[in-house]
Structures are given as structure tokens and as C-alpha cells.
Amino acid sequence: MSRGAGQDLLLIHPPAAKPAEPPLGLAALLGHLRGHGFMVAALDANLEAYLYLLETSRLEGALGPAPCRALQRAVRHARTSLDLLRSPQSLQNFARYSTAVHHLNQALSVYTGEGGRERLTLGDYQHGDLSEFSPDDLERVAAGEVSTLFASYFREQVLPQLEVQRPRWVALSVNYRHQVLPAFELAGMIRRRLPDIGLVGGGGMFTSWKPFLQQNRRHFTCFDHIGFGPGEAVLGRLLDGPNPAGAYDLEDPSSIAFTPDYSFAPLVRYLSPVPVLPLAASRGCYWQKCLFCPEATSPTHPWATVGDADFVPWLLELSARYGTKHLHLSDNAIPPRLLRAMAARAAEMAALRWHGFVRFEKALLDPHLVQALAAGGCRMLQLGLESGSQAVLDRLGKGTRLADVSVILRNLQRAGIATYVYIMLGTPGETEADAEATRRFLEEHAEAVTFLNIAIMNLPRQSEMLIRPDDFGIEGTSLPTDSESLGLYETFEATSGWGRREARRFLQQRLLASPAVRAMVNRVPPLFTSSHAFLFC
């Protein structure tokens, strides 16, 4: 039963993130709060902003007086490229798909902001004069002293919608760094235009800032409250009535929702060759031992999961409800017991097509289990290998044995399940010999690694490695400057003399010089990467 006649809350997913699928976190919140009788709506402002900016007339108006031919061509083909990217036809020709993505991405480059210092791509946004990690810059954006290229969309589309709906509260869910500046700009606009609406900031970015915000008693003037961790109980209590303690920071992990409500997000509108339904059967990480990961020391969410017996019927019901067989299981890592649950009911899942993250678990050493996963619709598994050196894996706390990795990759290859493998160079204590071991491992398993993502390590500020730097060959750490005090990472120097600079040189001169490794990297769909990779398997 509704708590009142008017709308209680509008949930907003701000730009800019990959517009390939709807935001699961927002949909889970929506389903939970509506299930408790609140009048709640949701807006994927990320998707809507991209579609707004990709309108042909708007692109042509932003071209400028003397655009280059390549930019003119991209703008001219933007509409057809968008249509192709939303069509299964794009899967028939990878080159044609890549050209469509390139046209759309290049067309977006017409938007450079007032000072020509902004850059927008399909999934990234940067402002050359502002940092999303600077509290002062965030306050300037919120106050309207500077603007972003999303300002016209907010003024013409979002604010008029809010004036009609007049919710009591607006909650902005910010999970990626590219969303921070636009989110603060929108919050400031709402504050000035509609001061009676309460504003709440939440999501992974705010939660990652919790130590700094609380230690410095920092409040953002555009938000009435900041929520840390899961938002289900926090928003439920807020909507039930006034905050009795008057607290600015809100935190209550007691309630976790899994079933999303995507009624606000027609799947066919997203930039995907087929509609893809994002789902997660767990929150948090069940492993929590990787020393480079903040989940090991300060998890964003407490570990929770759906029941084994309920899992497969839940997947089938949601697939039928939203009319798509393509599922993205977006768990940090799908627990082995849920893999077994899917394998045990492979016949029921045979019509589905799904992909997701898993660890190199011993369960996958069983070829019969892997074959059953393939029979039950598994098309691709994402796996964080990180290194081909056992010494590095042990140092990182991965709990992975390279001998097991070899067997698992072969099992997946024989079952016809594609692999999307992640490698991380420049980890503390890594040597050139370790990096060479990674290159050799990849070359030896070239036929079993379908897609490859290579990164140079960023060391999270909450990493356990920083608690014991001498144990990991770390020296010369430097915290982010005052102007970037919300930064997520620390720079460090390695005692061995092999650090990020040397790792980057190795990546360019040795790793990518390998034809086998380069082929794995080149198979990755441009910009949309793992979001679209499983569709090409």
C-alpha cells in the first residue's frame, strides 16, 4: 500500500557509463522499495543523455565551422550506426560492428564543452579543468560556477520531468568516476530550481569516500544525506519519515535486494545488438582475500546471496518477464555452489545465453560440470588470472594455482565456453622475470584464451598491501594531493626497481609484440569490451 498520494522518490542513474545495459543496482532498489509500498520511479539519465546527444540535428549543430572530413562522416552516419548497434545484424560482421562503434564514438567528440576541455566517449567522460576527486571542484560544479556538456540535457529533459513529478526525494546512484561531475552538476541544478526536494547521494563512489568524508567531517552542500553501502534499508527508513537523528551520513546494511524492476528501462533502447538482462545472485565478494582489492579490507557490500534452490527458477522467471534469453550475471564472482545449481538444471536453462565473472575455482576442474554449464547456456566466463607467475599470485592472495588454471582453461575450451581473461602488470614485488612468465603462460594457452584485458595496476588506498608495505616491496607511497583528496589510489615506488613505468614498457615492447597475445586483445569488441564480447562467441 502506498505511503502517500504523491511520489516518494525518484532514483537517477547519471551519465556517463557504458549505455549497453540498464543499471542493475538502481533496478534492485526500485523493486525493493516498490515491494514495500513506496511510490518510487527511476530514470536512467545515462542512457537518455547519450541518446539526446546522439540526435543528428544536435550533432550537426555542435560540429563547428570547419570540421574535418572524418568527423563529418561520423556525424552523417551516427543514426545508421546507432540502429546497427541495436540490431543482431551487427553480429554478422565484426568489422562492420567496429565501424559503427567508431562512428558513434567519434561523433560524440563534437561535444567539448565551453572551454573545449571536455571529452565524452561511449562509457567515459573527462573534464580537463576539473577533477572528480577534488571536493572543491565538486562544490564549484554543484554551485553552477562551471558546467559540463550534460547541462543542456539536464535543463531540457530532467528538470522539467522533476517539476511535473515533484518527488519528496531524489537519490543519485554514482558507481563510476565518470559519473561524479555530472551527478554533482545535476544535484546543484535540482537544489537551485527545486529546493523543496530532498537530495541523497549514494553508490559505490560515495561508499569508497567514506573514510575521508567521515574523518574530515566533510559535507557536500548539494546533498541532504550521503548513503554508504546498500541503499535498501537506508532509503526505506528515509521514506518512512523524517530522519530522527538528523544524521548526514546514512548506513544500514541490514537489507539486500536481488530481484530488479526494469519497468523504467526498455532493454531494446540500449546500445546492444540484442537485449541483455543484467542480474546478480550475490552481493559483495565471497573470497575477500586478494590483498590488492579493497573488498578484502573494506567491502562495499556485506556478502549475501540467493538460495541455491531458488536460483535457476529465479533466472528463468526474470528472463521470461523481460523477454530476453541473454543474461549478464554481474556478481563480483559467481559462487561455485550456484555454478553447480545451474549445471544440475542445464536442461531447463538450455535456451538461455549467459556470461559472468568466476574465479579459477577447483569446481571447474571437473569437465562434466563445465560441459553442463555449456549445455545450460554459458557462452563466456570472465576470469581474473592477474599473472602467469605463481610467486605473484601467492603474493597477491589470489588462492589460484597455475596448474589448475591450465586445466580449467582447457576444460572451457573443449566445452565451447569463451574466456575473457584479465591480466595485471606492475603489481608490488613483480619482477621482469614474472612478467615474462605471464607472457609465456598466455602464449602457451593461446587457443584457450578468447579475449584478453591487460591493465597496469592501480593500488587502492584501502589495500592491505599498504598496511605492510615492506612485505610487498613498496616504498615511497604518496597520498593524493589536497586537490584530489577523494582519490581512490596511491602511487608507489617498488624497491626492486620494477614498477608501473617498467611494466608499461614491457606491455608495449614485449607483451603486445607477441602475435598470440595481440590476437587475444584484438578480438575484444572496441569500447563495449566484455559487455558485447559474449555475443560474438
Side-chain angles (χ1 to χ4, degrees):
M1 185 171 68
S2 172
R3 302 308 205 262
Q7 190 179 95
D8 294 313
L9 171 70
L10 177 64
L11 299 164
I12 297 180
H13 177 58
K18 291 179 186 177
E21 60 188 33
L24 172 58
L26 207 73
L29 278 176
L30 183 66
H32 174 83
L33 294 171
R34 282 181 170 176
H36 283 73
F38 296 109
M39 297 289 289
V40 183
L43 170 65
D44 188 351
N46 177 60
L47 173 67
E48 299 303 333
Y50 273 109
L51 297 181
Y52 171 92
L53 293 171
L54 285 170
E55 289 180 5
T56 301
S57 60
R58 194 163 283 110
L59 289 168
E60 291 173 343
L63 264 176
C68 66
R69 289 184 178 179
L71 189 55
Q72 292 180 27
R73 182 167 58 251
V75 168
R76 186 167 63 251
H77 291 291
R79 180 71 249 180
T80 55
S81 296
L82 181 60
D83 291 341
L84 178 66
L85 203 57
R86 289 161 147 179
S87 166
Q89 291 183 356
S90 62
L91 300 177
Q92 298 174 10
N93 187 310
F94 188 74
R96 193 175 173 212
Y97 162 91
S98 299
T99 299
V101 173
H102 174 74
H103 281 325
L104 290 175
N105 208 53
Q106 188 166 27
L108 288 171
S109 70
V110 303
Y111 300 109
T112 58
E114 294 179 358
R117 299 279 288 158
E118 295 175 78
R119 178 175 178 269
L120 176 66
T121 68
L122 290 167
D124 190 15
Y125 167 72
Q126 297 177 16
H127 196 301
D129 296 325
L130 301 171
S131 169
E132 60 269 30
F133 297 134
S134 166
D136 291 340
D137 283 352
L138 299 185
E139 291 290 358
R140 290 176 60 206
V141 172
E145 296 175 14
V146 289
S147 64
T148 77
L149 57 83
F150 298 102
S152 61
Y153 163 70
F154 293 150
R155 280 193 303 267
E156 296 176 20
Q157 302 289 330
V158 180
L159 293 181
Q161 179 176 336
L162 284 169
E163 288 178 328
V164 172
Q165 294 179 340
R166 292 281 176 170
R168 288 194 295 128
W169 292 94
V170 167
L172 292 168
S173 178
V174 183
N175 291 296
Y176 306 103
R177 59 179 294 177
H178 330 300
Q179 296 178 290
V180 173
L181 291 170
F184 272 75
E185 178 174 46
L186 177 56
M189 286 181 165
I190 296 171
R191 174 65 75 218
R192 292 189 296 275
R193 178 84 71 90
L194 300 162
D196 294 336
I197 294 178
L199 284 164
V200 183
M205 289 303 299
F206 284 102
T207 300
S208 70
W209 295 339
K210 176 183 172 182
F212 172 84
L213 295 177
Q214 292 190 333
Q215 289 167 13
N216 294 276
R217 298 181 180 179
R218 184 71 187 236
H219 291 186
F220 296 116
T221 56
C222 58
F223 289 106
D224 297 290
H225 299 287
I226 297 297
F228 299 129
E232 289 85 344
V234 163
L235 292 175
R237 289 172 57 190
L238 199 62
L239 297 181
D240 257 332
N243 181 16
Y248 179 76
D249 301 341
L250 305 175
E251 187 170 13
D252 184 351
S254 62
S255 183
I256 301 289
F258 293 104
T259 302
D261 181 344
Y262 286 117
S263 58
F264 69 99
L267 300 182
V268 294
R269 301 190 71 234
Y270 287 82
L271 277 63
S272 176
V274 296
V276 176
L277 184 68
L279 300 170
S282 62
R283 290 274 198 102
C285 176
Y286 68 85
W287 178 246
Q288 291 187 349
K289 295 178 184 178
C290 297
L291 299 184
F292 62 89
C293 180
E295 284 289 335
T297 54
S298 53
T300 303
H301 295 290
W303 167 247
T305 182
V306 300
D308 298 13
D310 300 328
F311 179 48
V312 171
W314 180 73
L315 293 178
L316 295 171
E317 191 277 324
L318 289 170
S319 171
R321 181 189 305 178
Y322 293 105
T324 182
K325 65 181 182 180
H326 296 91
L327 309 181
H328 174 200
L329 303 185
S330 62
D331 307 57
N332 280 348
I334 304 170
R337 59 185 183 76
L338 295 185
L339 293 176
R340 293 188 181 96
M342 288 189 283
R345 305 179 71 164
E348 297 173 64
M349 295 189 56
L352 300 182
R353 302 289 181 268
W354 62 270
H355 76 290
F357 251 108
V358 297
R359 285 175 42 78
F360 281 102
E361 290 285 358
K362 290 190 178 296
L364 297 173
L365 293 171
D366 179 359
H368 301 293
L369 174 72
V370 174
Q371 290 286 350
L373 291 175
C378 181
R379 288 297 173 266
M380 184 182 82
L381 290 178
Q382 296 162 262
L383 302 122
L385 174 58
E386 318 310 352
S387 177
S389 163
Q390 189 63 57
V392 170
L393 296 180
D394 294 344
R395 192 180 304 118
L396 295 177
K398 284 291 293 183
T400 302
R401 309 304 301 172
L402 285 175
D404 291 345
V405 171
S406 294
V407 175
I408 291 168
L409 288 175
R410 301 300 183 198
N411 284 346
L412 294 171
Q413 179 191 11
R414 283 192 287 267
I417 296 175
T419 59
Y420 198 112
V421 174
Y422 295 78
I423 291 294
M424 187 164 57
L425 298 174
T427 60
E430 183 185 56
T431 66
E432 184 174 3
D434 292 322
E436 285 287 357
T438 297
R439 179 188 60 80
R440 287 195 303 272
F441 187 90
L442 291 171
E443 289 178 338
E444 291 167 1
H445 297 81
E447 294 183 359
V449 177
T450 317
F451 307 101
L452 181 66
N453 177 279
I454 309 172
I456 304 296
M457 183 187 193
N458 288 314
L459 187 61
R461 294 174 70 173
Q462 283 78 39
S463 168
E464 189 174 334
M465 289 182 168
L466 294 173
I467 301 174
R468 299 180 283 118
D470 293 343
D471 294 346
F472 299 99
I474 295 174
E475 67 177 1
T477 60
S478 63
L479 291 167
T481 61
D482 289 341
S483 64
E484 294 214 342
S485 53
L486 296 174
L488 305 179
Y489 304 103
E490 289 199 33
T491 58
F492 68 94
E493 296 294 331
T495 57
S496 65
W498 174 271
R500 288 170 53 86
R501 187 183 305 108
E502 292 76 18
R504 186 173 288 106
R505 187 180 303 120
F506 178 86
L507 167 62
Q508 296 299 328
Q509 297 179 1
R510 294 285 292 148
L511 201 54
L512 292 179
S514 164
V517 172
R518 196 165 58 249
M520 303 172 200
V521 173
N522 289 343
R523 281 193 289 266
V524 175
L527 294 166
F528 288 98
T529 61
S530 60
S531 297
H532 288 176
F534 87 113
L535 299 173
F536 286 97
C537 299

